[in-house]
Amino acid sequence: MISINNLTVSFGSWELFSRINFHITESDKIGLVGKNGAGKSTLMKILCGEMNPTSGSVDKPQHVTIGYLPQIMEHHKGRSVIDETMTAFAQSNEAEREVEEITRELGNRTDYESAAYSALIERLNELNDRLSVFHSEPPKVQAERTLLGLGFLPEELDRPAETFSQGWNMRIELAKILLQHPDLLLLDEPTNHLDIESIEWLESYLKDYNGAVMLVSHDRKFLDTVTHRTVELMLGSIYDYKVPYTQYTQLRAERIAQQTAAYENQQRMIEKTEEFIRAFRYKPTKSNQVQSRIKALEKLDRIEIDETDNATLTVKFPPAARSGDVVYKCTDLTVGYPQKVVFRDANIEIKRGEKVAFVGRNGEGKTTMMRVIVRELDPISGESKLGHNVDCGYFAQNQEDVLDKSQTVFSTLDRIAVGDIRSKLRDLLAQFLFRGEDIDKRVSVLSGGERARLGMAKLMLQSHNLLCLDEPTNHMDIKSKDILKQALKAFDGTLLIVSHDRDFLDGLVDKVYEFRDGHVREFLGGVSDFLAKRRLESLQELERTKQSSGRVDSAAIAPRGCNGRGPSETGGVRASGRAEEATTATAQISATAPVSYEEMKARSKEEKKRRNRASFLEKEIEKLEARMKEIEAVLSSPKEGDDIMELTREYLECKRDLDAKTEEWYEYS
C-alpha cells in the first residue's frame, strides 16, 4: 500500500535517518518504537505529508487516505463536542460526489477491456466499501458511540469544545479520525490522555480495525494487544520484526547475542590467521600457505554487530537538606473550585523520608491535591501546612504548558540557574541525554519524552527535600522510566507521586493515599500491599470498579483539568453513581440546606474573588487581542527593519497566553 524508499532526514550536519526502507500493507498493525528523539514522530509527519524528507520518497496510491493524530495539536473552537465530531463525515460527502462522477463517466465509456476502465471500476468499489461503513448506521449515532467510548458523558456532548482541557480536546480529534475510517491510522502516543476504560475501548477498536495502523506508545500492554509487527528506529537505521513488542524485545536480544557470538568467533579465527601470516611470511617453505591465507582474509565477509543506542539517563538527585519530621500535614481539608467540591474532610500526614503515591480514577482530585501542597491552589476549608525547612520541587504533568517553546534546551536551564551550577549545565544536560547539538534545539521541536527529561533537569537545578511529581513518566520510554525509578528510590528526601503505572510505583513507594468517591483514604505499605488489601489485580481496576457502580450527572459540570487527569485551573470532576457521593453532592449544592453565617460569609468572599479574577482576565484578554492585531498589521505589510521572526514568535506567545486565559475565564465566568 505504502512504500518508504531510501528515506533520509537531516538537520544541518546531523542525520536523523539514513536511507531507510520498509513497506506498509493494507492490514498491518505496526508498533513504531525507539528511544525518545529517535525520529518516530518525524517519520509519521513524513508519511502523512506534513514534512518532506531530505532525500528518498514515500510512494502511495493516489486514493489512499491517512488519519494522523499528533502528540501536540491545535484544537478547533466555536462548536459543541458533538458538532465538532460530526465534521468527520465531510469526507463521506466528498466520496458520494466522486461516486456520482465515476458512475457518470462509466456510462459514457465503451472501452470495457481497457486498464483505465478497470481502474475506475476498482475505485468505485473502494468508494462503495467506504460509504457502506459510513452508512452502516446514522452518523450521529456513530459519533456518540465513539465519544462515549473515549470517556465523554452523554450530557457533555453539547458543551462547547473549548471548555474542555487539551487532553479532552485530543479525544475529540481522535474520535474524528476514527470516524473517517482512513486506510492508514497514524497515532502518536494516543493513550497519554486516556484513562484505562478508554484505553481498553481503543484497544478493542484498533484490534478489529479494517485498515492499517501505525502507532507510537510506551504502554507495553497496549502495543502487545494491538500490534503484530514492530518497527524499531535506532541511530538512523530501521529494524523490522513481524511480531508484537514483547516478542520483539526477545528476538532482538537473541539476534544481538547471535551476532556477538559469531563476531567473536570470527575475530578469533582472524587473529590466528594473522599470527600464522606474521610468523611464516618470510619462510619460503610456507609461502604458498601464507599467500592462500592472505587471499582468504581479503575475501572474508566480515561480520558486524548492529549498532545499538546504549545511551541512558544517569539521573541522580542532589542531596536533600534536612527538613522537619512532618513534611506536610492537612486536617479536615475540603478542596475544589467554584463549580464543584472535589473532595472533603481529607486528613494527610507525610513524614520526612517517606515515599507516597496518590492513586485513583481520573478526576478524583490527585492533581488538585498536588496543587494545594505546592500552594498553587487554596483549599475551601481545613488546614494545609508544609513542615519546617521544606523546599518543594514540583513536576507538573503537562510540560507542554510549562516550558517556553521559544527557548533552546540550554537557555531553558541557563535562565534559571544560579551560582556554581551554571558552569555544570552541559554536564547536567548530558545526564538527560542532551549532548552536542541537542542542547541548541528549540523546545518547540522536542518530542514529548525529551520535554519530560528537560522538565526533570530543571527540577534538579536546586536541591529540594520534597519532590512532588505529577505523572512524571508520561512520554518516557521504558528504559528511561526504569532509570528514573532507581534514582527516586535513592533520593534521600521525601517523595509525593501521582501515577497510574503500577510497575513504576511497585517497590518505590511505602504509603498510598487513594482518592475515591470524594474522600481520601490512607493505606500503609507499598502499592502491592494496597492492591492486596483492595483485592485488585492492578491500579486500573480502581477505574473499572467505580465505572461498574454507575455514574450520575454533576450538578454543575465544569471543564476538566489539565490533560483530562483531574481538575486543574479549568477544574471539574466526574460524579459517581454511589449513594455516598450523590449525598455529598446534593448537600453541597442544595439551596434549601441550612447555611450558617460563617458559610455565607465564606461564600460571599469566594464569589468576590471569582468576580475579581474574571474581570482581571477580561482586561488581560483585551490587551492580548489588541497586541495580536498590531502584530498582524505589521506582518501584513512589513517594512525594512521589522524583525519578522521575532514578531511571529511574539504573536504565537500571545496566542498561547490568550488561549490559556480564555479557558480560565470560562471557569470564572
Coordinates of all heavy atoms in Angstrom, one line a residue, residues 344-421:
R344 N -13.6 16.2 50.3 CA -13.7 16.9 51.5 C -13.2 16.0 52.7 O -13.1 14.8 52.6 CB -15.2 17.3 51.7 CG -16.2 16.1 51.7 CD -17.6 16.6 52.0 NE -18.2 17.3 50.9 CZ -18.5 18.6 50.9 NH1 -18.3 19.3 52.0 NH2 -19.0 19.2 49.9
D345 N -12.9 16.7 53.8 CA -12.6 16.1 55.1 C -11.3 15.2 54.9 O -11.3 14.2 55.6 CB -13.7 15.3 55.6 CG -15.0 16.2 55.9 OD1 -14.8 17.4 56.2 OD2 -16.1 15.7 55.7
A346 N -10.4 15.6 54.1 CA -9.1 14.8 53.9 C -8.2 15.1 55.1 O -8.0 16.2 55.5 CB -8.5 15.1 52.6
N347 N -7.5 14.0 55.6 CA -6.5 14.1 56.6 C -5.3 13.4 56.1 O -5.3 12.2 56.0 CB -7.0 13.6 57.9 CG -8.1 14.4 58.6 OD1 -7.9 15.4 59.2 ND2 -9.4 13.9 58.4
I348 N -4.2 14.1 55.8 CA -3.0 13.5 55.3 C -1.8 14.0 56.1 O -1.7 15.2 56.4 CB -2.8 13.9 53.8 CG1 -3.9 13.4 52.9 CG2 -1.5 13.5 53.3 CD1 -3.9 13.9 51.5
E349 N -0.9 13.1 56.5 CA 0.3 13.4 57.1 C 1.5 12.7 56.5 O 1.4 11.4 56.4 CB 0.2 13.1 58.6 CG 1.5 13.4 59.4 CD 1.4 13.2 60.9 OE1 0.8 14.1 61.6 OE2 1.9 12.2 61.4
I350 N 2.5 13.4 56.0 CA 3.6 12.8 55.4 C 4.9 13.2 56.1 O 5.1 14.4 56.4 CB 3.7 13.4 53.9 CG1 2.4 13.0 53.1 CG2 4.9 12.8 53.2 CD1 2.3 13.7 51.8
K351 N 5.6 12.2 56.5 CA 6.8 12.4 57.3 C 8.1 12.4 56.5 O 8.1 11.9 55.4 CB 6.9 11.4 58.4 CG 5.7 11.5 59.4 CD 5.9 10.6 60.6 CE 4.8 10.8 61.7 NZ 5.0 9.9 62.8
R352 N 9.1 12.9 57.1 CA 10.4 13.0 56.4 C 10.9 11.7 55.9 O 10.9 10.7 56.6 CB 11.5 13.6 57.3 CG 12.8 13.8 56.6 CD 13.8 14.5 57.6 NE 14.2 13.6 58.7 CZ 13.9 13.9 60.0 NH1 13.2 15.0 60.2 NH2 14.2 13.0 60.9
G353 N 11.3 11.6 54.6 CA 11.8 10.4 54.1 C 10.8 9.4 53.5 O 11.2 8.5 52.8
E354 N 9.5 9.7 53.7 CA 8.5 8.8 53.1 C 8.4 9.0 51.6 O 8.6 10.1 51.1 CB 7.1 9.1 53.8 CG 7.1 8.5 55.2 CD 5.7 8.7 55.8 OE1 4.9 9.6 55.4 OE2 5.3 7.9 56.6
K355 N 8.0 7.9 50.9 CA 7.7 8.0 49.5 C 6.3 7.6 49.3 O 5.9 6.4 49.6 CB 8.7 7.1 48.7 CG 10.1 7.6 48.8 CD 11.1 6.8 48.0 CE 12.4 7.5 47.8 NZ 13.1 7.9 49.1
V356 N 5.4 8.5 48.9 CA 4.0 8.4 48.9 C 3.4 8.5 47.5 O 3.8 9.3 46.7 CB 3.4 9.5 49.8 CG1 1.9 9.3 49.9 CG2 4.0 9.4 51.2
A357 N 2.4 7.6 47.3 CA 1.7 7.7 46.0 C 0.3 8.1 46.2 O -0.4 7.7 47.2 CB 1.7 6.3 45.3
F358 N -0.2 9.0 45.3 CA -1.6 9.3 45.2 C -2.2 8.5 44.0 O -1.7 8.7 42.9 CB -1.8 10.8 44.9 CG -1.4 11.7 46.1 CD1 -1.3 13.1 45.9 CD2 -1.2 11.2 47.3 CE1 -1.0 13.9 46.9 CE2 -0.9 12.0 48.4 CZ -0.8 13.4 48.2
V359 N -3.2 7.7 44.3 CA -3.8 6.9 43.2 C -5.3 7.1 43.2 O -5.9 7.6 44.2 CB -3.4 5.4 43.5 CG1 -1.9 5.1 43.5 CG2 -4.1 4.8 44.7
G360 N -5.9 6.6 42.1 CA -7.3 6.7 42.0 C -7.7 7.1 40.6 O -6.9 7.3 39.7
R361 N -9.0 7.1 40.3 CA -9.5 7.4 39.0 C -9.2 8.8 38.5 O -9.0 9.7 39.4 CB -11.0 7.3 38.9 CG -11.6 5.9 38.9 CD -13.1 5.9 38.8 NE -13.5 6.2 37.4 CZ -14.1 7.4 37.1 NH1 -14.3 8.3 38.1 NH2 -14.5 7.6 35.9
N362 N -9.1 9.1 37.3 CA -9.0 10.5 36.8 C -10.2 11.3 37.3 O -11.3 10.8 37.3 CB -9.0 10.5 35.2 CG -7.7 9.9 34.7 OD1 -6.7 9.8 35.4 ND2 -7.8 9.5 33.4
G363 N -9.9 12.5 37.7 CA -11.0 13.4 38.1 C -11.3 13.3 39.6 O -12.2 14.0 40.1
E364 N -10.6 12.5 40.4 CA -10.9 12.3 41.8 C -10.1 13.3 42.7 O -10.4 13.4 43.9 CB -10.6 10.9 42.3 CG -11.6 9.9 41.7 CD -13.0 10.0 42.4 OE1 -13.2 10.8 43.2 OE2 -13.8 9.2 42.0
G365 N -9.1 14.1 42.1 CA -8.5 15.1 42.8 C -7.0 14.9 43.2 O -6.5 15.7 44.0
K366 N -6.4 14.0 42.5 CA -4.9 13.8 42.8 C -4.1 15.0 42.4 O -3.3 15.5 43.2 CB -4.5 12.5 42.1 CG -5.3 11.3 42.4 CD -4.7 10.1 41.7 CE -4.8 10.1 40.2 NZ -6.2 10.2 39.7
T367 N -4.3 15.5 41.2 CA -3.6 16.7 40.7 C -4.0 17.9 41.5 O -3.2 18.7 41.9 CB -3.8 16.9 39.2 OG1 -3.2 15.8 38.5 CG2 -3.2 18.2 38.8
T368 N -5.3 18.0 41.9 CA -5.7 19.1 42.7 C -5.1 19.1 44.0 O -4.6 20.2 44.5 CB -7.3 19.0 42.9 OG1 -7.9 18.9 41.6 CG2 -7.8 20.2 43.6
M369 N -4.9 18.0 44.7 CA -4.2 17.9 45.9 C -2.8 18.3 45.8 O -2.2 19.0 46.7 CB -4.3 16.4 46.5 CG -3.7 16.2 47.9 SD -4.7 17.0 49.2 CE -3.4 18.0 50.0
M370 N -2.1 17.9 44.7 CA -0.8 18.3 44.5 C -0.6 19.8 44.4 O 0.3 20.4 44.9 CB -0.3 17.6 43.2 CG 1.1 17.3 43.0 SD 1.8 16.2 44.3 CE 2.2 14.8 43.3
R371 N -1.6 20.4 43.7 CA -1.6 21.9 43.6 C -1.8 22.6 44.9 O -1.3 23.7 45.1 CB -2.6 22.3 42.5 CG -2.3 21.8 41.1 CD -3.3 22.4 40.1 NE -3.2 23.8 40.1 CZ -4.3 24.6 40.1 NH1 -5.5 24.1 40.1 NH2 -4.1 25.9 40.0
V372 N -2.6 22.0 45.8 CA -2.7 22.6 47.1 C -1.4 22.5 47.9 O -1.0 23.5 48.5 CB -3.8 21.8 47.9 CG1 -3.9 22.2 49.4 CG2 -5.2 22.1 47.2
I373 N -0.7 21.4 47.8 CA 0.5 21.2 48.5 C 1.6 22.2 48.1 O 2.3 22.7 48.9 CB 1.0 19.7 48.3 CG1 0.1 18.7 49.0 CG2 2.4 19.5 48.9 CD1 0.4 17.3 48.8
V374 N 1.7 22.4 46.8 CA 2.7 23.4 46.2 C 2.2 24.8 46.2 O 2.8 25.7 45.7 CB 3.2 22.9 44.8 CG1 3.8 21.6 44.9 CG2 2.0 23.0 43.8
R375 N 1.0 25.0 46.8 CA 0.4 26.4 47.0 C 0.1 27.1 45.7 O 0.1 28.3 45.6 CB 1.4 27.2 47.8 CG 1.7 26.7 49.2 CD 2.7 27.5 50.0 NE 2.9 27.0 51.3 CZ 3.9 27.4 52.2 NH1 4.7 28.3 51.8 NH2 4.0 26.8 53.4
E376 N -0.3 26.3 44.8 CA -0.9 26.9 43.5 C -2.4 27.0 43.7 O -3.1 27.7 42.9 CB -0.6 26.0 42.3 CG 0.8 26.1 41.8 CD 0.9 25.4 40.5 OE1 -0.1 24.8 40.0 OE2 2.1 25.3 39.9
L377 N -3.0 26.4 44.7 CA -4.5 26.4 44.9 C -4.8 26.5 46.4 O -4.2 25.7 47.2 CB -5.1 25.2 44.3 CG -6.6 25.0 44.4 CD1 -7.3 26.1 43.5 CD2 -7.1 23.6 43.9
D378 N -5.7 27.3 46.7 CA -6.1 27.4 48.1 C -7.3 26.5 48.4 O -8.2 26.4 47.6 CB -6.5 28.9 48.5 CG -5.4 29.9 48.4 OD1 -4.2 29.4 48.7 OD2 -5.6 31.0 48.0
P379 N -7.2 25.8 49.6 CA -8.4 24.9 49.9 C -9.6 25.7 50.3 O -9.5 26.9 50.6 CB -7.9 24.2 51.1 CG -6.8 25.0 51.7 CD -6.2 25.8 50.6
I380 N -10.8 25.1 50.1 CA -12.0 25.7 50.5 C -12.1 25.9 52.0 O -12.5 26.9 52.6 CB -13.2 24.9 50.0 CG1 -13.2 25.0 48.4 CG2 -14.5 25.5 50.5 CD1 -14.3 24.1 47.8
S381 N -11.7 24.8 52.7 CA -11.7 24.9 54.2 C -10.7 23.8 54.7 O -10.2 23.0 54.0 CB -13.1 24.5 54.8 OG -13.5 23.2 54.4
G382 N -10.4 23.9 56.0 CA -9.4 23.0 56.6 C -8.1 23.6 56.6 O -7.8 24.7 56.1
E383 N -7.1 22.9 57.2 CA -5.7 23.4 57.3 C -4.8 22.6 56.5 O -4.8 21.4 56.4 CB -5.3 23.3 58.8 CG -3.9 23.9 59.0 CD -3.5 23.8 60.5 OE1 -4.1 23.0 61.2 OE2 -2.5 24.5 60.9
S384 N -3.9 23.3 55.7 CA -2.9 22.7 54.9 C -1.6 23.4 55.2 O -1.5 24.6 55.1 CB -3.3 22.9 53.4 OG -2.2 22.4 52.6
K385 N -0.6 22.6 55.6 CA 0.7 23.2 56.1 C 1.9 22.4 55.7 O 1.9 21.2 56.0 CB 0.6 23.4 57.6 CG 1.7 24.2 58.2 CD 1.5 24.4 59.7 CE 2.7 25.3 60.3 NZ 2.5 25.4 61.7
L386 N 2.9 23.1 55.1 CA 4.2 22.4 54.9 C 5.0 22.5 56.2 O 4.8 23.5 57.0 CB 4.9 23.1 53.8 CG 4.5 22.9 52.4 CD1 5.2 23.8 51.4 CD2 4.6 21.4 52.0
G387 N 5.9 21.5 56.4 CA 6.6 21.5 57.6 C 7.8 22.4 57.6 O 8.1 23.2 56.7
H388 N 8.6 22.4 58.7 CA 9.8 23.2 58.9 C 10.9 22.9 57.8 O 11.2 21.8 57.6 CB 10.3 23.1 60.3 CG 11.6 23.8 60.5 ND1 11.7 25.2 60.6 CD2 12.9 23.3 60.7 CE1 12.9 25.5 60.8 NE2 13.7 24.4 60.9
N389 N 11.4 24.0 57.2 CA 12.5 23.9 56.3 C 12.2 23.0 55.1 O 13.1 22.3 54.6 CB 13.8 23.4 57.1 CG 15.1 23.7 56.3 OD1 15.1 24.7 55.6 ND2 16.0 22.8 56.4
V390 N 11.0 23.0 54.6 CA 10.7 22.2 53.5 C 10.8 23.0 52.2 O 10.3 24.1 52.1 CB 9.2 21.7 53.6 CG1 8.8 21.0 52.3 CG2 9.1 20.7 54.7
D391 N 11.6 22.5 51.3 CA 11.8 23.1 50.0 C 11.2 22.2 48.9 O 11.7 21.1 48.7 CB 13.3 23.3 49.7 CG 13.6 24.0 48.4 OD1 12.6 24.4 47.7 OD2 14.8 24.1 48.1
C392 N 10.1 22.6 48.3 CA 9.3 21.8 47.4 C 9.7 22.0 46.0 O 9.8 23.1 45.5 CB 7.9 22.1 47.6 SG 6.8 21.1 46.6
G393 N 10.0 20.9 45.3 CA 10.2 20.9 43.8 C 9.0 20.2 43.1 O 8.6 19.1 43.5
Y394 N 8.4 20.9 42.1 CA 7.1 20.4 41.5 C 7.3 20.1 40.1 O 7.8 20.9 39.3 CB 6.0 21.4 41.7 CG 4.7 21.1 41.2 CD1 4.1 19.8 41.3 CD2 3.9 22.1 40.5 CE1 2.9 19.5 40.8 CE2 2.7 21.8 40.0 CZ 2.2 20.5 40.1 OH 0.9 20.2 39.6
F395 N 7.0 18.9 39.7 CA 7.0 18.5 38.2 C 5.5 18.3 37.8 O 4.8 17.4 38.2 CB 7.7 17.2 38.1 CG 7.8 16.7 36.6 CD1 8.9 17.0 35.8 CD2 6.8 15.9 36.1 CE1 9.0 16.5 34.5 CE2 6.8 15.5 34.8 CZ 7.9 15.8 34.0
A396 N 5.0 19.3 37.0 CA 3.7 19.3 36.5 C 3.5 18.2 35.4 O 4.5 18.0 34.7 CB 3.2 20.6 36.0
Q397 N 2.3 17.6 35.3 CA 2.2 16.6 34.3 C 2.2 17.0 32.9 O 2.5 16.2 32.0 CB 0.9 15.8 34.6 CG -0.4 16.6 34.4 CD -1.6 15.8 34.5 OE1 -2.1 15.2 33.6 NE2 -2.1 15.7 35.7
N398 N 2.0 18.3 32.6 CA 2.0 18.8 31.2 C 3.1 19.8 31.0 O 2.9 21.0 31.1 CB 0.6 19.4 30.8 CG 0.5 19.6 29.3 OD1 1.4 19.2 28.6 ND2 -0.6 20.3 28.9
Q399 N 4.3 19.2 30.6 CA 5.4 20.1 30.4 C 5.2 21.0 29.1 O 5.9 22.0 29.0 CB 6.7 19.3 30.2 CG 7.1 18.6 31.5 CD 7.5 19.5 32.6 OE1 8.2 20.5 32.4 NE2 6.8 19.3 33.8
E400 N 4.3 20.6 28.3 CA 4.0 21.5 27.1 C 3.6 22.9 27.5 O 3.9 23.9 26.9 CB 2.8 20.8 26.3 CG 2.1 21.7 25.3 CD 3.0 22.0 24.1 OE1 4.1 21.4 23.9 OE2 2.6 22.9 23.3
D401 N 2.8 23.0 28.6 CA 2.4 24.3 29.1 C 3.4 25.0 30.0 O 3.3 26.2 30.1 CB 1.1 24.1 29.9 CG -0.1 23.6 29.0 OD1 0.0 23.9 27.8 OD2 -1.0 23.1 29.6
V402 N 4.3 24.2 30.5 CA 5.3 24.8 31.5 C 6.5 25.4 30.8 O 7.0 26.4 31.1 CB 5.7 23.7 32.5 CG1 6.8 24.3 33.5 CG2 4.5 23.3 33.3
L403 N 7.0 24.7 29.8 CA 8.3 25.1 29.1 C 8.0 26.2 28.1 O 7.0 26.1 27.4 CB 8.9 23.9 28.5 CG 9.4 22.7 29.4 CD1 9.9 21.5 28.6 CD2 10.5 23.2 30.4
D404 N 8.9 27.1 27.9 CA 8.9 28.1 26.9 C 9.4 27.6 25.6 O 10.5 27.3 25.4 CB 9.7 29.3 27.4 CG 9.6 30.5 26.4 OD1 9.1 30.3 25.3 OD2 10.0 31.6 26.8
K405 N 8.5 27.4 24.6 CA 8.8 26.8 23.4 C 9.8 27.6 22.5 O 10.4 27.1 21.6 CB 7.5 26.5 22.6 CG 6.7 25.4 23.1 CD 5.5 25.1 22.2 CE 4.3 25.7 22.7 NZ 3.1 25.3 22.0
S406 N 9.9 28.9 22.8 CA 10.8 29.7 22.0 C 12.3 29.6 22.5 O 13.2 30.0 21.8 CB 10.4 31.2 22.1 OG 10.6 31.7 23.4
Q407 N 12.5 29.0 23.6 CA 13.9 28.8 24.2 C 14.5 27.6 23.7 O 13.8 26.7 23.2 CB 13.8 28.8 25.7 CG 13.3 30.1 26.4 CD 14.3 31.2 26.1 OE1 15.5 31.1 26.2 NE2 13.7 32.4 25.8
T408 N 15.8 27.5 23.7 CA 16.6 26.3 23.4 C 16.7 25.5 24.7 O 16.3 25.9 25.8 CB 18.0 26.6 22.9 OG1 18.7 27.2 24.0 CG2 17.9 27.6 21.7
V409 N 17.1 24.2 24.5 CA 17.3 23.3 25.6 C 18.3 24.0 26.7 O 18.0 24.0 27.9 CB 17.9 22.0 25.2 CG1 18.3 21.1 26.4 CG2 16.8 21.2 24.4
F410 N 19.4 24.5 26.2 CA 20.4 25.1 27.1 C 19.9 26.4 27.7 O 20.0 26.5 29.0 CB 21.7 25.4 26.3 CG 22.8 26.0 27.2 CD1 23.6 25.1 27.9 CD2 23.0 27.3 27.3 CE1 24.6 25.6 28.7 CE2 24.0 27.8 28.1 CZ 24.8 27.0 28.8
S411 N 19.2 27.3 27.0 CA 18.8 28.5 27.6 C 17.7 28.3 28.6 O 17.5 29.1 29.5 CB 18.3 29.5 26.5 OG 17.2 29.0 25.8
T412 N 16.9 27.2 28.4 CA 15.8 26.9 29.4 C 16.4 26.8 30.8 O 15.8 27.2 31.8 CB 15.1 25.6 29.0 OG1 14.4 25.8 27.7 CG2 14.1 25.2 30.0
L413 N 17.6 26.1 30.9 CA 18.2 25.9 32.2 C 19.0 27.2 32.6 O 19.1 27.6 33.7 CB 19.1 24.7 32.2 CG 18.4 23.3 32.0 CD1 19.4 22.2 32.3 CD2 17.1 23.2 32.7
D414 N 19.7 27.8 31.6 CA 20.6 28.9 31.8 C 19.8 30.1 32.4 O 20.4 30.9 33.2 CB 21.3 29.3 30.5 CG 22.4 30.3 30.7 OD1 23.2 30.1 31.6 OD2 22.4 31.3 30.0
R415 N 18.5 30.2 32.1 CA 17.7 31.4 32.5 C 17.5 31.3 34.0 O 17.2 32.3 34.7 CB 16.4 31.4 31.8 CG 16.5 31.8 30.3 CD 15.2 31.6 29.6 NE 14.2 32.6 30.1 CZ 12.9 32.5 29.8 NH1 12.5 31.5 29.1 NH2 12.1 33.5 30.2
I416 N 17.4 30.1 34.6 CA 17.1 29.9 36.0 C 18.2 29.4 36.9 O 18.1 29.4 38.1 CB 15.9 28.9 36.1 CG1 16.2 27.5 35.6 CG2 14.6 29.5 35.4 CD1 15.2 26.5 35.8
A417 N 19.3 29.0 36.3 CA 20.5 28.5 37.1 C 21.2 29.7 37.7 O 21.4 30.8 37.2 CB 21.4 27.8 36.2
V418 N 21.6 29.5 39.0 CA 22.4 30.5 39.7 C 23.5 29.8 40.4 O 23.5 28.6 40.7 CB 21.5 31.2 40.8 CG1 20.4 32.0 40.1 CG2 20.9 30.1 41.7
G419 N 24.6 30.5 40.6 CA 25.7 30.0 41.4 C 26.6 29.1 40.5 O 26.7 29.2 39.3
D420 N 27.3 28.2 41.2 CA 28.3 27.3 40.6 C 27.7 26.4 39.6 O 28.3 25.9 38.7 CB 29.0 26.5 41.6 CG 29.9 27.4 42.6 OD1 30.2 28.5 42.1 OD2 30.2 26.9 43.7
I421 N 26.4 26.1 39.7 CA 25.7 25.1 38.8 C 25.8 25.6 37.4 O 25.7 24.8 36.4 CB 24.3 24.8 39.3 CG1 23.7 23.6 38.5 CG2 23.4 26.0 39.0 CD1 24.4 22.3 38.8

